[in-house]
Amino acid sequence: MLDLRLVTDKLEDVKRRLSLRGPVKDAERLAELGARRRALIRDSESLRHEQKLAGERMKDLLKSDPTGAQTLRLELKEKSARQKQLDDEIKQLETELEELLLFIPNLPHETVPPGTSSEENPVVRAVGQAPAFSFTARPHWDLGTELGILDFERGAKLSGSRFTVLWGAGARLERALIQFMLDLHTREHGYTEVLPPFLVQREAMAGTGQLPKFEEEAFKTTAPEYFLIPTAEVPVTNLHRDEILDGARLPLRYVAYTPCFRREAGAAGRDTRGLTRQHQFDKVELVKFADPRTSYDELERLTADAEDVLRRLGLSYRVVALCGGDLGFSAAKTYDLEVWMPGQGRFVEISSCSNFEDFQARRARIRFRRESSAKPELVHTLNGSGLAVGRTLAAILENYQQADGSVTIPEALRPYTGFERIGK
RNA sequence: GGAGAGAUGGCCGAGAGGCUGAAGGCGCUGGUUUGCUAAACCAGUAUACGUCGAAAGAUGUAUCGGGGGUUCGAAUCCCCCUCUCUCCGCCA
């Protein structure tokens, strides 16, 4: 959520910065309503002030002059009614303002490159060498099916398309990856592990920006209503909702493993094969709460922490900076990590690292105090996948495949899998 | 699921229609005293939104779990909701 003050007071600025994302809607109306709200508040408050002053006279009058008290009472009754009417109007206005504001995306950071689609995302760096094969590399869904570790048919039988069953070494590899990533981030990168609920309430989803705009993307239960988390970002960021954090302890760094649930409503027909786009997948997520002054340094570090997973697994990848048109709703700046998938001959997103600045913090009221006597300020929130586990598993299958269809396990992972290769 | 109790500031805890942003205590911050520390004493110690101001700040309004109602006036009275605790039942 943007700062209403900023929108009303610096409308042109806001519009210019938003236009990097595409056409701007509603900003004008927002500024207008914001100005009207202020005027109404002024009127209501001065009326209320008069009432309070008169109220103090009332008590004396009640003793000394009953008739006068009666007159005053009638007068105040009318004033009170008028003021309540104003308050109703203000409330209505604020509801409308909130609704508009919740649908306006975050302002892109100055360094966000121009562009309208993912094709225009500049490559920031490329790391590692794509493996050279003496045979034609195959996609992970073929390899995994032949090895008997990925079972798409039975996934579909149980739950429909975009669900997969992992067997034996596949299940073990998934679990090994989760463990490996959590250990790396907690032991070497200074993150605190947290295991949050996988079902959250509407307000948590709104806090991080998934709602109200993207409700059709989420799975939810009814009576009682719960949302299945689309990413650990939701519960972990909301851990500190309505809190004032100690500035001396920033940045807070959390890492969480959770399954993630997504409708993929807008992705019909895309990535229908393999593990790339599932309704349910595992992810290890990095989340930070940072001082606004250093949040962009923290973004670089967080991205490096995610990259470290790929590097240790010996997977080649590139880092792209999302352009204005490709930037997510809540993000001010995002780097995507794309892993090379030799079996598909393309790069696939495996992590998305973003600085949300104060956008989520304002929605979720997450603040900090710089000094014990200072006024609370909004924190900056950041997060990034570290990494998407299913896609990592797929990348390992494709990058470490052998001519005979077996797959060797990256060195770093072997203590976790307990085996060095997966064969038939 | 059944029965009961409760929710007040960073924390504990008074208050039972007006003068209560809210006694008292603890904590915290600053000061005095003081070889140092501690103790003692004094002062300060919420948030949001308005208005004025370049700013520091001044000032107004709101806020006693949330929402609604009664009233000239609600922390205080009434209604609804949420959460917490205790006991019973059930359950991984």
Side-chain angles (χ1 to χ4, degrees):
Chain A
M1 188 161 68
L2 296 182
D3 182 5
L4 178 60
R5 275 195 109 87
L6 188 70
V7 182
T8 26
D9 295 351
K10 301 212 165 120
L11 179 61
E12 289 313 310
D13 237 28
V14 168
K15 274 164 64 182
R16 182 180 50 75
R17 291 182 64 188
L18 278 178
S19 66
L20 193 65
R21 291 175 170 274
V24 180
K25 281 171 39 189
D26 296 330
E28 225 109 273
R29 172 144 183 79
L30 205 57
E32 182 193 311
L33 292 180
R36 234 175 74 209
R37 169 179 166 275
R38 279 192 208 173
L40 285 176
I41 285 176
R42 205 175 333 159
D43 294 350
S44 162
E45 284 189 354
S46 71
L47 259 179
R48 183 86 182 126
H49 183 53
E50 284 177 45
Q51 278 171 236
K52 278 187 93 158
L53 293 180
E56 281 169 34
R57 287 211 315 273
M58 177 63 86
K59 227 177 40 171
D60 307 329
L61 278 181
L62 279 173
K63 286 182 227 146
S64 61
D65 178 6
T67 338
Q70 184 57 22
T71 319
L72 183 59
R73 175 173 291 141
L74 290 174
E75 189 190 315
L76 286 179
K77 188 167 190 149
E78 198 182 316
K79 236 174 216 173
S80 163
R82 203 139 42 87
Q83 191 248 332
K84 266 181 190 140
Q85 209 173 353
L86 279 178
D87 282 352
D88 284 348
E89 255 179 85
I90 291 169
K91 205 182 249 178
Q92 211 179 325
L93 209 58
E94 286 184 337
T95 309
E96 196 178 341
L97 272 167
E98 178 108 323
E99 268 163 32
L100 284 174
L101 218 43
L102 284 174
F103 280 88
I104 292 183
N106 201 359
L107 299 178
H109 189 246
E110 296 89 71
T111 58
V112 168
T116 54
S117 79
S118 57
E119 268 119 74
E120 292 171 77
N121 296 338
V123 175
V124 178
R125 60 185 166 272
V127 179
Q129 284 272 308
F133 295 108
S134 58
F135 53 91
T136 309
R138 295 191 293 153
H140 67 273
W141 51 87
D142 284 348
L143 293 161
T145 305
E146 269 176 40
L147 289 169
I149 59 171
L150 300 183
D151 188 344
F152 299 103
E153 274 183 38
R154 289 200 178 86
K157 174 161 74 182
L158 294 175
S159 307
S161 69
R162 299 197 191 283
F163 287 93
T164 305
V165 174
L166 273 62
W167 288 100
R172 180 64 188 257
L173 180 54
E174 179 91 0
R175 183 156 59 87
L177 280 166
I178 293 165
Q179 193 98 322
F180 166 68
M181 293 181 195
L182 286 172
D183 281 353
L184 176 62
H185 295 309
T186 53
R187 290 178 184 162
E188 299 191 35
H189 299 153
Y191 291 78
T192 301
E193 186 173 346
V194 52
L195 185 68
F198 305 154
L199 268 58
V200 297
Q201 295 187 338
R202 177 169 286 273
E203 194 176 353
M205 291 285 279
T208 33
Q210 278 76 16
L211 294 182
K213 195 169 177 189
F214 304 105
E215 182 146 3
E216 69 286 349
E217 278 296 316
F219 285 111
K220 65 173 179 185
T221 67
T222 51
E225 182 188 70
Y226 288 111
F227 288 84
L228 282 68
I229 56 169
T231 158
E233 162 191 353
V234 175
V236 177
T237 305
N238 277 282
L239 283 174
H240 293 305
R241 193 174 74 211
D242 288 310
E243 289 184 17
I244 299 175
L245 305 170
D246 175 4
R249 294 192 46 217
L250 298 183
L252 298 178
R253 288 182 285 255
Y254 297 146
V255 58
Y257 152 73
T258 71
C260 304
F261 304 93
R262 298 187 183 177
R263 291 270 296 276
E264 298 296 347
R270 279 179 54 79
D271 304 315
T272 48
R273 307 203 63 186
L275 294 175
T276 308
R277 198 170 295 276
Q278 299 274 290
H279 286 313
Q280 174 190 322
F281 62 96
D282 291 320
K283 186 154 61 70
V284 169
E285 184 78 1
L286 306 171
V287 176
K288 285 188 184 181
F289 299 81
D291 184 327
R293 289 177 189 165
T294 57
S295 68
Y296 278 93
D297 297 336
E298 294 298 335
L299 175 62
E300 296 300 324
R301 261 176 243 156
L302 185 144
T303 308
D305 292 337
E307 287 180 64
D308 199 23
V309 179
L310 287 166
R311 218 176 288 116
R312 290 179 191 235
L313 293 176
L315 296 169
S316 66
Y317 65 94
R318 64 185 189 186
V319 181
V320 302
L322 296 200
C323 68
D326 202 24
L327 205 58
F329 180 79
S330 303
K333 181 171 185 171
T334 300
Y335 292 117
D336 272 5
L337 272 45
E338 300 181 335
V339 70
W340 176 245
M341 294 283 194
Q344 304 169 55
R346 63 168 184 150
F347 285 96
V348 171
E349 180 194 327
I350 199 163
S351 172
S352 194
C353 303
S354 305
N355 187 354
F356 301 91
E357 298 191 2
D358 63 13
F359 190 83
Q360 295 180 327
R362 186 172 295 106
R363 286 183 167 221
R365 298 167 301 279
I366 308 168
R367 297 177 294 172
F368 76 104
R369 238 186 263 277
R370 210 174 274 290
E371 312 284 336
S372 64
S373 58
K375 285 190 73 98
E377 299 173 51
L378 292 168
V379 299
H380 280 191
T381 58
L382 300 90
N383 68 58
S385 344
L387 308 161
V389 179
R391 289 186 182 185
T392 307
L393 188 146
I396 287 172
L397 296 188
E398 295 198 16
N399 282 274
Y400 285 88
Q401 60 183 297
Q402 308 297 310
D404 65 357
S406 67
V407 173
T408 57
I409 300 297
E411 203 79 49
L413 222 45
R414 289 180 190 174
Y416 292 94
T417 55
F419 49 77
E420 299 182 5
R421 65 183 282 279
I422 305 173
K424 272 181 257 187

